[in-house]
Amino acid sequence: MNTSDGERVRAVLDWEGFSETLTEDDADILGILACSVRQKPIDKVYNKIAEWNRAKNHRNLITFISGCVLPADRKKFLKLFDFVFPMSELNQLPEMIRGYGVATPASLKLQGNSPILPNNENIFSLWNIRPKYSSGFEAYVPIQNGCDKMCTFCAVPYTRGREVSRPSAEILDEVEQLVKQGYKAITLLGQNVNSYGLDKPNDEISFAELLEKIGWLGDSSHEEFWVYFTSPHPSDMDPKVFEVIAQHRCLAKQIHLPLQSGDEKLLIRMNRRHDVETYRELVTKLRATLPQATLFTDIIVGFCGETEEQFQNTVEAFKEFRFNMAYIAQYSPRPGAASHRWDDDVPINIKKERHLRLTEVLKRISLKHNLKQVGTTVKVLVTGTEQRTPYLTGYTEGRLVTRILATEGSLIGKIITVKIITANELSLAGEPLLVTTAITA
């Protein structure tokens, strides 16, 4: 979501005639898109703005912050940054800059078409800004904003607000344009993507219907591309989504379904609105409908009051659901979230130890799956080069990281066929066999 928001910020500043600099020292405007999911990123914000404000003693500099910012932090940031605004007011950034007495490069002339379409209220003004994509083959398309679930550990409802769905016509148009431009991976974004349309029951289609329309678009195209979505919520997941994905080649066979904990009492304390049995039923339907699909999840260890027995229930859930990947976080209290009022009573050393233990379980499960891929051929989107080696890297349709034993840079941004020759705990490695640029009629 930060990347997607940043692409719209970049579009607005480009329109104003600014250009991106390689270093902060060369910039006239510096901004931050914050994330309030955990405390550590916000601590980094305070450190960075202190550094920037010291730089103001030596040069002219404008600073701003947007993104996910809690009310308490916003009050403090108003004294530290020149501009503090929600992303829904991004279209007003040029006026803020000019109101600050700065003559922007575009003040006296217009350059091309403005990325800002006619203004709408709230989040719609952000969606009406045409993004400047940061990649030529991977794109993020926001479809929904905010969350109504009120998980006790989460600050999103207080930073992003209630759930709002973007008009499906706009989403489909953006996806269609990306396909025409040759994009290979398109990710639909939202804090709770599978609640799409629930806020407009009489005016909008459901999430499954949205995916189906995108699937039809892909079926009618000769281009090969993969469509992903993140992040869904188990309580809103309709098994019809799995059926739709199975019917359309462009809908990637990969599901990210956050569990957060494998313990029933902790799920209630987290206000997750689903239990382990509900999750089990979804995974069973997923395996039956999409047996080739990979399954990713999110997990919190060390949540308030988590006992060793409750943690072991999460370990057992890992073994049962056989996740290909899990994003494991150590709990940290967030001001504004309900759990902030509770004792953070799991010691940090216990959190770290549980994090490591669960990671080891994940690695064993992932390795067992990955070893079965050795000797097979898979499609891989080449995304770049490895650090410290000349080899290429990318990921499969199931988003498994893949090392490609080739050095031809022209393959970057293409979907190619790779024969898997080795596998380790969290990645694959193979040799390219065939470059695929389109599906033949």
Side-chain angles (χ1 to χ4, degrees):
M1 190 62 77
N2 277 142
T3 299
S4 179
D5 288 348
E7 290 173 346
R8 283 167 166 77
V9 173
R10 190 174 290 115
V12 169
L13 292 175
D14 275 5
W15 163 246
E16 285 299 303
F18 292 99
S19 58
E20 191 171 353
T21 65
L22 296 178
T23 68
E24 292 182 7
D25 292 340
D26 295 328
D28 300 306
I29 299 179
L30 290 170
I32 291 175
L33 297 183
C35 174
S36 291
V37 173
R38 299 177 69 190
Q39 183 61 42
K40 189 174 181 179
I42 296 301
D43 293 339
K44 290 182 179 180
V45 171
Y46 283 105
N47 292 335
K48 181 58 69 173
I49 189 56
E51 175 187 329
W52 289 352
N53 283 335
R54 286 193 297 270
K56 285 185 175 184
N57 294 326
H58 312 290
R59 63 190 175 101
N60 294 324
L61 180 63
I62 294 176
T63 61
F64 69 84
I65 187 168
S66 188
C68 290
V69 178
L70 285 162
D73 287 318
R74 178 185 171 85
K75 288 181 66 175
K76 298 175 183 177
F77 289 154
L78 285 169
K79 300 176 182 179
L80 300 173
F81 288 86
D82 296 316
F83 310 134
V84 180
F85 59 91
M87 285 303 299
S88 58
E89 296 177 5
L90 173 61
N91 62 322
Q92 300 176 30
L93 180 58
E95 295 178 15
M96 297 179 201
I97 296 172
R98 285 191 285 270
Y100 204 73
V102 176
T104 67
S107 296
L108 302 178
K109 63 179 181 178
L110 299 179
Q111 303 171 359
N113 296 321
S114 170
I116 305 175
L117 301 179
N119 190 20
N120 286 306
E121 63 181 1
N122 301 325
I123 193 64
F124 296 103
S125 63
L126 172 64
W127 290 331
N128 279 338
I129 295 174
R130 300 185 185 95
K132 181 181 179 183
Y133 301 106
S134 52
S135 167
F137 54 90
E138 295 178 294
Y140 299 100
V141 177
I143 70 167
Q144 175 270 347
N145 186 77
C147 186
D148 293 348
K149 294 297 178 285
M150 307 300 290
C151 298
T152 56
F153 56 79
C154 184
V156 166
Y158 309 102
T159 61
R160 289 276 180 173
R162 300 294 297 271
E163 293 175 1
V164 180
S165 298
R166 184 183 181 188
S168 57
E170 292 182 11
I171 298 167
L172 293 168
D173 179 67
E174 185 171 353
V175 171
E176 183 176 13
Q177 294 305 313
L178 288 167
V179 173
K180 289 180 179 178
Q181 294 170 36
Y183 277 78
K184 298 303 180 186
I186 300 169
T187 302
L188 308 179
L189 288 181
Q191 277 74 42
N192 185 15
V193 286
N194 56 339
S195 72
Y196 180 83
L198 297 182
D199 59 313
K200 303 175 182 177
N202 299 319
D203 301 315
E204 218 20 290
I205 58 180
S206 69
F207 181 58
E209 290 168 329
L210 177 66
L211 287 178
E212 190 165 41
K213 286 181 179 291
I214 293 173
W216 290 336
L217 189 158
D219 293 343
S220 64
S221 169
H222 294 303
E223 297 296 324
E224 184 170 22
F225 63 97
W226 299 328
V227 176
Y228 301 91
F229 56 85
T230 195
S231 182
H233 194 289
S235 68
D236 287 332
M237 179 59 81
D238 183 349
K240 185 181 177 182
V241 167
F242 306 149
E243 297 171 9
V244 171
I245 293 173
Q247 294 167 4
H248 300 281
R249 65 170 186 257
C250 73
L251 302 181
K253 310 311 184 271
Q254 182 260 356
I255 299 294
H256 186 152
L257 195 61
L259 175 61
Q260 301 300 2
S261 174
D263 182 78
E264 301 287 9
K265 290 184 179 179
L266 275 185
L267 288 174
I268 294 172
R269 191 166 172 78
M270 291 176 171
N271 194 34
R272 284 294 290 168
R273 306 191 187 191
H274 69 84
D275 54 21
V276 175
E277 180 56 32
T278 301
Y279 196 94
R280 180 178 292 115
E281 291 173 358
L282 286 171
V283 173
T284 299
K285 291 174 181 176
L286 170 65
R287 304 290 192 203
T289 310
L290 292 167
Q292 75 276 43
T294 55
L295 180 61
F296 289 23
T297 198
D298 296 339
I299 291 290
I300 296 173
V301 296
F303 187 66
C304 306
E306 183 185 61
T307 65
E308 175 62 24
E309 181 182 358
Q310 289 173 325
F311 171 72
Q312 282 299 325
N313 287 336
T314 298
V315 171
E316 292 306 312
F318 264 53
K319 294 176 181 178
E320 176 183 356
F321 300 130
R322 307 189 311 277
F323 299 114
N324 298 93
M325 177 55 69
Y327 302 102
I328 305 169
Q330 299 171 38
Y331 172 73
S332 62
R334 295 299 300 118
S339 64
H340 186 259
R341 302 190 300 269
W342 305 337
D343 289 338
D344 181 18
D345 52 2
V346 179
I348 186 64
N349 63 310
I350 298 296
K351 291 178 183 178
K352 290 180 178 179
E353 188 256 350
R354 290 176 181 173
H355 190 166
L356 289 173
R357 285 162 60 192
L358 199 56
T359 299
E360 289 304 312
V361 175
L362 171 66
K363 287 180 178 180
R364 290 196 297 271
I365 295 169
S366 177
L367 178 61
K368 187 175 181 180
H369 174 273
N370 289 352
L371 287 174
K372 293 178 181 178
Q373 311 307 307
V374 175
T376 66
T377 57
V378 297
K379 295 290 184 67
V380 175
L381 173 58
V382 185
T383 57
T385 56
E386 277 192 325
Q387 293 183 354
R388 298 183 294 276
T389 81
Y391 296 122
L392 301 175
T393 187
Y395 54 82
T396 67
E397 180 181 353
R399 280 202 179 275
L400 299 180
V401 174
T402 305
R403 185 187 190 205
I404 305 157
L405 303 180
T407 58
E408 188 177 344
S410 62
L411 295 179
I412 295 174
K414 295 180 180 179
I415 295 176
I416 67 172
T417 301
V418 173
K419 182 176 181 180
I420 303 302
I421 56 175
T422 61
N424 63 25
E425 294 166 332
L426 297 175
S427 66
L428 307 171
E431 298 173 335
L433 296 181
L434 175 67
V435 176
T436 302
T437 57
I439 295 176
T440 56

